[in-house]
Amino acid sequence: MTDRMQRTDLAVELQENLEDKEILSGVRVSTRVNEDNDIKETRIVIDSEEGSVKFGKPIGTYITIESEELRLCDEDYHVPMSQALCGHLRKMIGTSRRILVAGLGNRAVTPDALGPYVVDNLYITRHLLQEELIHTGYEISALAPGVMAQTGMESQELLQAVVREMKPDLMIVIDALAAMNSDRLNKTIQLSDSGIAPGSGVGNHRKAITEESMGVKVIAIGVPTVISVPAIIEDAMDVMLAAFGRSGMREAVEELTDQERYELAGEMLKPYLAKMYVTPKNIDEAVKRISYTISEAINQLHHSYI
Amino acid sequence: MTDRMQRTDLAVELQENLEDKEILSGVRVSTRVNEDNDIKETRIVIDSEEGSVKFGKPIGTYITIESEELRLCDEDYHVPMSQALCGHLRKMIGTSRRILVAGLGNRAVTPDALGPYVVDNLYITRHLLQEELIHTGYEISALAPGVMAQTGMESQELLQAVVREMKPDLMIVIDALAAMNSDRLNKTIQLSDSGIAPGSGVGNHRKAITEESMGVKVIAIGVPTVISVPAIIEDAMDVMLAAFGRSGMREAVEELTDQERYELAGEMLKPYLAKMYVTPKNIDEAVKRISYTISEAINQLHHSYI
Amino acid sequence: MTDRMQRTDLAVELQENLEDKEILSGVRVSTRVNEDNDIKETRIVIDSEEGSVKFGKPIGTYITIESEELRLCDEDYHVPMSQALCGHLRKMIGTSRRILVAGLGNRAVTPDALGPYVVDNLYITRHLLQEELIHTGYEISALAPGVMAQTGMESQELLQAVVREMKPDLMIVIDALAAMNSDRLNKTIQLSDSGIAPGSGVGNHRKAITEESMGVKVIAIGVPTVISVPAIIEDAMDVMLAAFGRSGMREAVEELTDQERYELAGEMLKPYLAKMYVTPKNIDEAVKRISYTISEAINQLHHSYI
Amino acid sequence: MTDRMQRTDLAVELQENLEDKEILSGVRVSTRVNEDNDIKETRIVIDSEEGSVKFGKPIGTYITIESEELRLCDEDYHVPMSQALCGHLRKMIGTSRRILVAGLGNRAVTPDALGPYVVDNLYITRHLLQEELIHTGYEISALAPGVMAQTGMESQELLQAVVREMKPDLMIVIDALAAMNSDRLNKTIQLSDSGIAPGSGVGNHRKAITEESMGVKVIAIGVPTVISVPAIIEDAMDVMLAAFGRSGMREAVEELTDQERYELAGEMLKPYLAKMYVTPKNIDEAVKRISYTISEAINQLHHSYI
């Protein structure tokens, strides 16, 4: 059910949702908390087709970094998070030097503006290197391709055209994601080397942007800025079923088959599915702050290796 | 229950929600459809304290104009709606000439940007009249006071200060509202002479802005741009209870007292209430278009009387 | 001298600047004033290489529409201008149906934001036609490619990539221009079928975008939003020389050769050339209004032929 | 001549312009370069009416901090400059705790957007202290009052209204300034305790905002983002007169009286004066970066004393 209803774009939430923390073959999970900076990192590696199907995500590595601070801090863009992100990025990028950054999403819809905002703050170097105004460092170019209602074009086809022309070694794609748990909004950054597949994000404004469709390696950076409506409805359903259970209708509730639960949730969802998004009222501050954290992480690539 | 949970800011939805279309003393309702332009107008007049309490809105006149076109039309800002709105405005304004327009809300949060966007497109004349660059017409001044996280001040106190200094005859306050029915979003404009009371809108970014608090008459123009989360949860609850009814648990469901239903909904709501908003994915286009319709309605005040 | 110092991007100003209104072979000029709407139209056709070299513009047709109203009117986006522009556009477009609109320039620099603002207000139809949500009309796609400091890419190379992928029949390119006469700012629209060559515009943010470089016909729409610094300096020089002439130094002044005048102007220019722009203080209102006039002209293409 | 033509808003440029570095009674100047961070600081204290008249600035202290880095650095917001600014601010603020920050200027005109952008990035605390969400620190409120074309109100009158209502201890006013030397643009921050008087800035969008008009102490922070047109014209005139001097007309040139020079410059200026501004093409990056430097300086006030 989870997959079909797209409850979350976060690998770490799919993992938490596995019943009994079952061990899936082809999926390895490791977690560590850095006590210096309170950043929790979860690494999920999916390395077989079987693991991919069961887990509900393409083969690849998914790194989640979370920090309570990222959400709370009002004054700063959170240096430790951007340093942690930069470190992981550097490893995924390896020896690539010519990098195209794509900020997906709609600049005019607050929780979907994460990608364009990151692009706004990048230190762009491709033209400086070509004009020999600088002489070393990564060659960064960037684009916020907009959304179909603005351009008439899929992000995917626009980026394919640009990649063919610019021939970067690697793409970094930034996008806003959907989470199922409101506690995770705006304090979690997911990094993966599997690109971006159509999901439950704010706008669903893209077909797959992956190594397969682009012809170059694609690193995806995502932050959950909306709660998926399916997740809200299911939460409501859980509360309600629990209430009925308490009030003596336990048996009736337990009689519901999975199929019936699924259909019930679907019926509750119908008016909203795929047309609405749910987001916190202070989403403007969150998107501004976290987009800055991410752009700084990318800008720090230029610094001498740590 | 309805009131306490703030299901809607729209008088017309409160009216539709009255069981059996009961006739409340102190509340008069009339409706008409203009067949030339497909605009439906509903006028609700609350003229007694009793009506106000029962209906759940302050004493005053609430005019709702709705048009399917306002939502569908992609190319235009809908001239018939702005003309209809201008006509009603003109009557409410009467002989006042010095008008302060306040665009409430947060420019950086898409569904809450309606008010600031209206202000952006107004034809401002106060300084032109004072400098004698023009010689007739309404004296329009305008302000988008921002929200407390941006200024540290309530909209209410900022506007009180400005009104004391500028001494307008009348205020027009624009704000984004919450509806309970997603079909009403972005195609309904509510106009009232009772000002704006704290409600379930996007940001709840104000204490009451009314004749009482401001010292001048306050006309409010609002458009529902978000669905209230209570409304979504109650819709979900209704679907679920109906499903249980169908599956033989009718009695159990019917046994729920109003109080139990209220508590159940409250429990379902808890994680979201007052912190989240729900809005359509194309809200950027809707807010841009409707804000233009409203600013044109105000700009047309300057034209010779129709 | 004129060319080398890029005094203006407007064909109509080059024409006015010709001494004695000399008749250039290969250049035809016609003017008409529409008395109904006070719009003055100047058509300059350059149809030989010789005319092109002497006139200082590529071979092609340059239509200038001017209206005092475009600058004065504060309430409206000037329907007559957008209708006049739409009429000329329709003839230049001919039977092409698949159109890519490119809004050149930097959204973050006010007088250079004209192109991106036009794109913001277009009625985009490419995806609607492809998804069969509409069934007739022009297929419009659009892009604001940004500037090199933002993307690391030339507008030219980005647009070449997109044209290769999307294969439109025709491009419309919008750009902010430089004029030499401040009276012409923000009330003139230049339309040409020769594309855009590097010029003295705000940002010089492009290599040539022409049929030759793009592989499809390119219609250019431009509006002068800045005064060229060379023009200001030359104006200052003219005033000064006239003053010296009046004060008895006529002979000394008249002794200045063209080469000396050129060198003198160059010396006066040195600190500013190519790094500064000069624009009116109310440029924000002008760019907003005129970009709307242009986007409406393009949107009106969809209407039934007039 | 200098004053009447408003060549500069910078005290440091007025000082440099004094012939023979004459010592004005009532004006004290001191300079120091911090070799650790390459920041040059100039302190000009005007402490008598006579000094004020001769110097052309109100009585008060004018501190200029300059750094080549502020202009060159593309990746960072320049921590040393914001720390230096914070240090001076802290001393001027003294024991005041309730501070209203006003970001003057027009957000829609790039070089004039400095003030609004600073406000966008401030850490606002007034409401947090009032709601007891935080318990110590400066009480910061902030407002970007817009410009008269947007509101119909002078910044001065709007701020007077707010000050009367909010009763802060002190105001910090941020504004874009005009310099006469293009080398100073975007790398100089001027801090003064004399408030803001009408000047040659981008928009001249205010009557005086001073302790006298506001009733509370006013600290002004300004950055030159435009070159004054009078300065450009005078530069051109100087180049031209030098050229004539070289070409044997020395006597004629030397015969020009000051009055004639002034009238000549005025004639050259006429078409542009007070209606145009001159600014670098990359002003968007400069304003974004420096506004961040300033907002960080104000945000650092909250940190424990250094």
Side-chain angles (χ1 to χ4, degrees):
Chain A
M1 188 166 80
T2 301
D3 293 354
R4 281 181 289 167
M5 302 199 66
Q6 298 166 319
R7 290 197 64 173
T8 179
D9 291 318
L10 293 177
V12 73
E13 288 193 335
L14 290 174
Q15 165 65 18
E16 286 170 353
N17 227 26
L18 292 176
E19 282 163 41
D20 303 325
K21 300 287 171 222
E22 59 184 303
I23 292 157
L24 294 181
S25 98
V27 179
R28 283 172 292 128
V29 180
S30 60
T31 304
R32 94 193 154 91
V33 176
N34 182 333
E35 303 206 343
D36 290 342
N37 56 22
D38 262 328
I39 293 176
K40 181 179 173 187
E41 298 186 3
T42 307
R43 170 185 296 263
I44 298 174
V45 180
I46 304 177
D47 60 10
S48 75
E49 200 51 52
E50 184 195 348
S52 167
V53 170
K54 281 199 194 142
F55 196 83
K57 280 278 180 191
I59 287 174
T61 298
Y62 300 83
I63 295 169
T64 308
I65 56 181
E66 297 174 74
S67 165
E68 207 55 53
E69 301 264 313
L70 191 58
R71 189 155 57 169
L72 296 181
C73 179
D74 272 297
E75 262 180 89
D76 220 339
Y77 70 92
H78 210 266
V79 174
M81 280 292 272
S82 71
Q83 286 175 342
L85 179 57
C86 182
H88 289 297
L89 256 184
R90 210 185 283 282
K91 282 179 212 147
M92 280 197 182
I93 287 172
T95 58
S96 298
R97 279 299 169 270
R98 312 182 63 233
I99 300 174
L100 171 64
V101 182
L104 302 188
N106 184 346
R107 181 186 293 282
V109 168
T110 314
D112 203 24
L114 182 85
Y117 285 7
V118 169
V119 165
D120 286 350
N121 284 305
L122 289 181
Y123 179 45
I124 303 296
T125 56
R126 181 175 178 270
H127 60 303
L128 301 178
L129 285 162
Q130 290 192 342
E131 295 167 4
E132 305 202 332
L133 295 170
I134 59 174
H135 301 285
T136 59
Y138 289 86
E139 182 192 297
I140 305 287
S141 56
L143 194 68
V147 296
M148 210 150 66
Q150 295 164 339
T151 63
M153 303 178 251
E154 291 274 8
S155 296
Q156 190 205 45
E157 56 186 326
L158 192 43
L159 292 173
Q160 280 170 336
V162 173
V163 166
R164 253 168 232 154
E165 186 85 12
M166 305 295 152
K167 299 186 178 51
D169 303 329
L170 178 144
M171 287 180 71
I172 298 174
V173 181
I174 323 287
D175 201 9
L177 305 178
M180 60 192 224
N181 184 341
S182 65
D183 282 348
R184 212 158 232 128
L185 292 189
N186 303 323
K187 65 176 209 193
T188 304
I189 299 176
Q190 175 174 283
L191 180 72
S192 96
D193 58 5
S194 66
I196 286 191
S200 53
V202 186
N204 262 342
H205 30 66
R206 22 58 176 185
K207 296 186 183 160
I209 297 172
T210 59
E211 181 159 2
E212 196 184 337
S213 67
M214 291 292 135
V216 298
K217 189 173 173 183
V218 180
I219 295 175
I221 300 175
V223 175
T225 62
V226 298
I227 313 181
S228 76
V229 175
I232 288 179
I233 296 293
E234 286 195 46
D235 283 353
M237 195 162 71
D238 288 345
V239 169
M240 204 157 180
L241 293 176
F244 281 124
R246 283 197 305 275
S247 57
M249 294 192 288
R250 184 179 308 273
E251 283 149 52
V253 168
E254 283 170 356
E255 270 169 27
L256 281 176
T257 64
D258 268 11
Q259 182 60 23
E260 282 167 342
R261 283 178 77 117
Y262 176 70
E263 281 167 12
L264 184 55
E267 198 178 341
M268 291 158 79
L269 262 177
K270 223 171 24 191
Y272 308 108
L273 194 59
K275 292 184 308 192
M276 299 280 167
Y277 65 86
V278 182
T279 197
K281 289 181 177 180
N282 66 346
I283 185 65
D284 55 326
E285 299 164 32
V287 167
K288 187 170 151 186
R289 197 172 60 245
I290 300 174
S291 65
Y292 197 74
T293 304
I294 296 174
S295 59
E296 281 304 291
I298 299 174
N299 289 340
Q300 285 165 24
L301 287 176
H302 298 287
H303 298 176
S304 55
Y305 297 113
I306 295 161
Chain B
M1 187 167 80
T2 300
D3 292 356
R4 280 181 291 168
M5 302 197 67
Q6 298 165 319
R7 288 197 64 175
T8 180
D9 290 320
L10 293 177
V12 73
E13 289 193 334
L14 291 174
Q15 166 63 18
E16 285 171 352
N17 229 26
L18 291 176
E19 280 162 41
D20 305 324
K21 301 287 171 221
E22 58 183 302
I23 292 156
L24 295 180
S25 96
V27 179
R28 283 172 292 127
V29 180
S30 60
T31 305
R32 94 190 154 93
V33 175
N34 183 334
E35 302 206 344
D36 290 341
N37 56 21
D38 263 329
I39 293 175
K40 181 179 174 187
E41 298 186 4
T42 306
R43 170 185 296 264
I44 298 173
V45 180
I46 304 176
D47 58 11
S48 75
E49 200 52 52
E50 184 195 349
S52 168
V53 169
K54 280 200 194 139
F55 196 83
K57 280 278 180 192
I59 288 174
T61 298
Y62 300 83
I63 296 169
T64 307
I65 56 181
E66 295 175 74
S67 165
E68 207 55 53
E69 300 263 314
L70 191 59
R71 190 156 55 168
L72 295 182
C73 179
D74 271 297
E75 265 181 86
D76 221 340
Y77 70 91
H78 210 267
V79 174
M81 280 291 272
S82 71
Q83 287 175 342
L85 179 58
C86 181
H88 289 296
L89 256 183
R90 210 184 283 282
K91 282 179 214 145
M92 281 196 181
I93 288 171
T95 58
S96 298
R97 280 297 169 271
R98 310 180 65 233
I99 299 174
L100 172 65
V101 182
L104 303 187
N106 184 347
R107 181 188 292 283
V109 169
T110 314
D112 204 23
L114 183 85
Y117 285 5
V118 169
V119 165
D120 286 349
N121 284 305
L122 288 180
Y123 179 48
I124 302 296
T125 57
R126 181 175 180 269
H127 60 302
L128 302 178
L129 285 161
Q130 291 193 342
E131 295 168 5
E132 304 202 333
L133 295 172
I134 59 174
H135 302 284
T136 59
Y138 289 86
E139 182 191 297
I140 304 288
S141 56
L143 194 68
V147 297
M148 209 151 66
Q150 295 164 340
T151 64
M153 303 179 249
E154 291 275 7
S155 297
Q156 191 204 47
E157 57 186 326
L158 191 45
L159 292 174
Q160 280 170 337
V162 174
V163 166
R164 252 167 234 157
E165 186 85 11
M166 306 294 152
K167 299 187 178 50
D169 304 328
L170 179 143
M171 285 180 73
I172 298 175
V173 181
I174 324 287
D175 201 9
L177 305 178
M180 61 192 224
N181 184 341
S182 66
D183 281 346
R184 214 160 231 128
L185 293 189
N186 303 323
K187 64 178 208 192
T188 304
I189 299 175
Q190 174 173 285
L191 180 71
S192 96
D193 59 5
S194 67
I196 287 191
S200 53
V202 185
N204 264 339
H205 28 67
R206 19 66 174 180
K207 296 185 184 162
I209 297 171
T210 58
E211 182 159 3
E212 196 183 338
S213 67
M214 292 292 135
V216 298
K217 188 173 171 182
V218 180
I219 296 176
I221 300 176
V223 173
T225 62
V226 299
I227 313 181
S228 76
V229 174
I232 287 179
I233 297 292
E234 286 194 47
D235 283 353
M237 195 162 71
D238 288 344
V239 169
M240 207 159 177
L241 293 176
F244 282 125
R246 280 198 306 275
S247 56
M249 295 191 289
R250 185 178 307 274
E251 283 148 52
V253 168
E254 282 168 358
E255 271 169 27
L256 281 176
T257 63
D258 268 9
Q259 182 59 25
E260 282 167 341
R261 283 177 76 116
Y262 176 70
E263 281 169 10
L264 184 53
E267 197 176 341
M268 290 159 80
L269 262 176
K270 221 170 26 191
Y272 308 107
L273 195 60
K275 292 184 308 191
M276 299 279 168
Y277 66 86
V278 182
T279 197
K281 290 182 176 180
N282 66 347
I283 186 64
D284 56 326
E285 299 164 31
V287 168
K288 188 170 151 188
R289 197 173 57 246
I290 300 174
S291 66
Y292 197 74
T293 304
I294 295 173
S295 60
E296 282 303 292
I298 298 173
N299 289 340
Q300 286 163 23
L301 287 175
H302 297 288
H303 298 177
S304 55
Y305 297 114
I306 296 163
Chain C
M1 187 167 80
T2 301
D3 292 355
R4 282 180 289 168
M5 302 197 69
Q6 298 168 320
R7 288 196 66 174
T8 180
D9 290 319
L10 293 177
V12 73
E13 289 193 335
L14 290 175
Q15 166 65 18
E16 287 170 352
N17 229 25
L18 292 176
E19 282 163 40
D20 305 324
K21 301 288 171 219
E22 60 183 302
I23 292 156
L24 294 180
S25 97
V27 178
R28 283 172 292 128
V29 180
S30 60
T31 305
R32 92 191 155 92
V33 176
N34 182 334
E35 302 206 343
D36 291 341
N37 56 21
D38 263 328
I39 293 176
K40 180 179 174 188
E41 297 185 5
T42 306
R43 170 186 296 263
I44 298 174
V45 180
I46 303 176
D47 59 11
S48 74
E49 199 53 50
E50 185 196 347
S52 167
V53 169
K54 280 198 194 142
F55 196 82
K57 279 277 179 191
I59 288 175
T61 297
Y62 300 83
I63 295 169
T64 308
I65 55 181
E66 295 175 75
S67 166
E68 208 54 53
E69 301 263 313
L70 191 58
R71 189 156 57 170
L72 295 181
C73 177
D74 271 297
E75 264 180 88
D76 220 339
Y77 69 91
H78 210 267
V79 174
M81 280 292 272
S82 71
Q83 287 175 342
L85 179 58
C86 182
H88 289 297
L89 256 184
R90 211 186 282 282
K91 282 178 213 147
M92 281 197 182
I93 287 171
T95 58
S96 297
R97 280 298 170 270
R98 312 182 64 231
I99 299 174
L100 171 65
V101 182
L104 302 189
N106 184 346
R107 181 187 294 282
V109 168
T110 314
D112 203 24
L114 182 85
Y117 285 6
V118 169
V119 165
D120 285 351
N121 284 305
L122 289 180
Y123 179 47
I124 303 296
T125 57
R126 181 175 180 270
H127 60 302
L128 301 178
L129 285 162
Q130 291 193 340
E131 295 167 3
E132 305 201 334
L133 295 171
I134 60 174
H135 302 285
T136 60
Y138 289 85
E139 182 192 298
I140 305 288
S141 56
L143 194 67
V147 296
M148 209 150 67
Q150 296 163 339
T151 63
M153 303 178 250
E154 290 276 7
S155 296
Q156 191 205 46
E157 56 186 327
L158 191 44
L159 292 173
Q160 280 171 336
V162 173
V163 166
R164 252 168 233 156
E165 185 86 12
M166 305 295 152
K167 299 186 178 51
D169 303 328
L170 178 144
M171 286 181 72
I172 297 175
V173 181
I174 324 288
D175 202 9
L177 305 178
M180 60 191 223
N181 185 341
S182 66
D183 282 346
R184 212 159 231 127
L185 293 189
N186 303 323
K187 63 176 208 192
T188 303
I189 300 176
Q190 174 173 284
L191 180 71
S192 95
D193 58 5
S194 66
I196 286 191
S200 53
V202 186
N204 262 341
H205 29 64
R206 23 58 177 184
K207 296 185 184 161
I209 297 172
T210 57
E211 182 159 3
E212 197 184 335
S213 67
M214 290 291 135
V216 298
K217 190 173 170 184
V218 180
I219 296 175
I221 299 175
V223 175
T225 61
V226 299
I227 313 182
S228 75
V229 174
I232 288 180
I233 296 293
E234 286 194 46
D235 283 354
M237 194 162 71
D238 288 344
V239 168
M240 204 156 180
L241 293 176
F244 281 125
R246 282 197 305 274
S247 56
M249 295 192 288
R250 185 180 307 275
E251 282 148 54
V253 167
E254 283 170 356
E255 268 169 29
L256 280 177
T257 63
D258 268 11
Q259 182 59 23
E260 283 167 342
R261 283 178 77 118
Y262 176 71
E263 281 168 11
L264 183 54
E267 198 177 341
M268 290 158 81
L269 262 176
K270 221 170 26 191
Y272 308 107
L273 194 61
K275 293 184 309 194
M276 299 280 167
Y277 66 86
V278 182
T279 197
K281 289 182 176 178
N282 66 347
I283 185 65
D284 57 325
E285 299 165 31
V287 167
K288 188 169 152 189
R289 197 173 59 245
I290 300 174
S291 66
Y292 197 73
T293 304
I294 295 174
S295 59
E296 282 304 291
I298 299 174
N299 289 340
Q300 285 165 23
L301 288 175
H302 298 288
H303 298 178
S304 55
Y305 298 115
I306 295 161
Chain D
M1 188 167 79
T2 300
D3 291 355
R4 283 180 287 167
M5 303 197 66
Q6 298 166 318
R7 287 197 66 175
T8 181
D9 290 320
L10 293 177
V12 73
E13 288 193 335
L14 290 174
Q15 165 65 17
E16 285 170 352
N17 228 26
L18 292 176
E19 281 162 41
D20 304 324
K21 300 287 170 220
E22 59 183 301
I23 293 156
L24 295 181
S25 96
V27 178
R28 283 173 291 127
V29 180
S30 60
T31 305
R32 91 189 156 93
V33 175
N34 182 333
E35 303 206 343
D36 291 341
N37 56 23
D38 262 327
I39 293 176
K40 180 179 175 187
E41 298 186 4
T42 307
R43 169 185 298 262
I44 298 173
V45 180
I46 304 175
D47 59 10
S48 75
E49 200 52 52
E50 184 196 348
S52 167
V53 169
K54 281 200 194 141
F55 196 82
K57 280 277 179 192
I59 288 174
T61 297
Y62 300 83
I63 295 169
T64 308
I65 56 181
E66 295 175 76
S67 165
E68 207 55 53
E69 301 263 314
L70 192 58
R71 190 157 55 169
L72 295 181
C73 178
D74 273 296
E75 264 180 87
D76 221 340
Y77 70 92
H78 209 266
V79 173
M81 280 292 272
S82 72
Q83 287 175 342
L85 179 58
C86 181
H88 289 296
L89 257 183
R90 209 185 284 281
K91 282 178 213 146
M92 282 197 181
I93 287 171
T95 59
S96 297
R97 281 296 170 271
R98 311 182 64 232
I99 299 174
L100 171 64
V101 182
L104 302 189
N106 184 347
R107 181 187 292 283
V109 169
T110 314
D112 204 24
L114 182 85
Y117 285 7
V118 169
V119 165
D120 286 350
N121 284 306
L122 289 180
Y123 179 47
I124 303 297
T125 56
R126 181 176 181 270
H127 61 302
L128 301 178
L129 285 161
Q130 290 193 342
E131 295 167 5
E132 306 202 332
L133 294 172
I134 60 174
H135 302 284
T136 59
Y138 289 86
E139 182 191 297
I140 305 287
S141 56
L143 194 67
V147 297
M148 210 151 65
Q150 295 164 340
T151 63
M153 303 178 250
E154 290 276 7
S155 297
Q156 191 205 44
E157 57 187 327
L158 191 44
L159 292 173
Q160 280 170 336
V162 174
V163 166
R164 253 168 232 156
E165 185 85 13
M166 305 293 152
K167 299 186 178 52
D169 304 328
L170 178 143
M171 285 180 72
I172 298 175
V173 181
I174 324 286
D175 201 9
L177 306 177
M180 60 192 224
N181 184 341
S182 66
D183 281 347
R184 213 160 230 128
L185 293 189
N186 302 323
K187 64 176 208 192
T188 304
I189 299 175
Q190 175 174 283
L191 180 72
S192 96
D193 59 5
S194 67
I196 286 190
S200 52
V202 186
N204 264 340
H205 29 65
R206 20 61 177 184
K207 296 185 184 162
I209 297 172
T210 58
E211 181 158 3
E212 196 183 338
S213 66
M214 292 291 135
V216 298
K217 188 172 172 184
V218 180
I219 296 175
I221 299 176
V223 175
T225 62
V226 299
I227 312 181
S228 75
V229 175
I232 287 179
I233 297 292
E234 286 195 46
D235 282 353
M237 195 161 72
D238 288 345
V239 170
M240 204 156 179
L241 292 176
F244 280 124
R246 281 198 305 274
S247 56
M249 294 191 290
R250 184 178 309 274
E251 284 148 52
V253 169
E254 282 171 356
E255 272 170 26
L256 282 176
T257 64
D258 267 10
Q259 183 59 25
E260 283 166 341
R261 283 179 76 117
Y262 176 70
E263 281 167 12
L264 184 54
E267 197 175 342
M268 291 159 80
L269 262 176
K270 221 170 26 191
Y272 310 107
L273 196 59
K275 292 184 308 194
M276 299 280 167
Y277 65 86
V278 182
T279 197
K281 290 183 176 178
N282 66 346
I283 185 64
D284 56 325
E285 299 164 31
V287 168
K288 187 169 151 187
R289 196 172 59 246
I290 300 174
S291 65
Y292 197 74
T293 303
I294 296 174
S295 59
E296 282 303 292
I298 299 174
N299 289 340
Q300 285 164 24
L301 288 175
H302 297 288
H303 298 176
S304 55
Y305 296 114
I306 295 161

